[in-house]
């Protein structure tokens, strides 16, 4: 459903308990197949860090960080289509 995707597009209020549970489930599904570097990159991004800042934190190129985040986006879109 598109509900999963819309839940990740940034909300300006606190999530309802149902939204929080859905977001936690979606995050678990996203991270299930990720390596530690991917999880770290996603974690930094979810905290609002920019790609250049993440690149410095994880000591990887901005291109690598962008590729990891693109894979996350693709996976999230596949989850949303279910």
């Amino acid at each position: 459903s598109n509900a999963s995707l819309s839940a990740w597009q940034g909300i300006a209020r606190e999530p309802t308990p149902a939204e929080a549970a859905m977001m936690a489930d979606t995050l678990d599904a996203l991270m299930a197949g990720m390596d530690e570097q991917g999880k770290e990159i996603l974690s930094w991004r979810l905290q609002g860090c920019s790609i250049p800042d993440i690149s410095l934190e994880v000591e990887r190129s901005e291109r690598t960080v962008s590729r990891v985040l693109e894979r996350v986006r693709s996976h999230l879109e596949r989850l949303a289509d279910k």
Side-chain angles (χ1 to χ4, degrees):
S1 77
N2 285 335
S4 296
L5 187 57
S6 65
W8 287 92
Q9 292 177 338
I11 51 179
R13 58 176 170 71
E14 288 294 313
T16 66
E19 289 169 338
M22 182 177 56
M23 288 170 47
D25 289 346
T26 302
L27 184 57
D28 287 345
L30 275 173
M31 289 193 163
M34 295 177 76
D35 62 17
E36 288 306 310
Q37 177 182 292
K39 290 176 185 178
E40 185 177 9
I41 288 170
L42 178 57
S43 178
W44 283 113
R45 189 61 168 179
L46 290 173
Q47 294 175 59
C49 294
S50 68
I51 289 174
D53 288 344
I54 296 168
S55 174
L56 291 173
E57 287 292 336
V58 300
E59 299 178 343
R60 296 290 184 260
S61 71
E62 289 182 25
R63 184 165 184 256
T64 295
V65 171
S66 294
R67 281 196 312 261
V68 168
L69 293 173
E70 182 55 41
R71 283 195 301 271
V72 168
R73 256 188 302 281
S74 295
H75 190 171
L76 183 58
E77 287 169 359
R78 284 193 303 277
L79 289 173
D81 288 340
K82 288 185 177 179

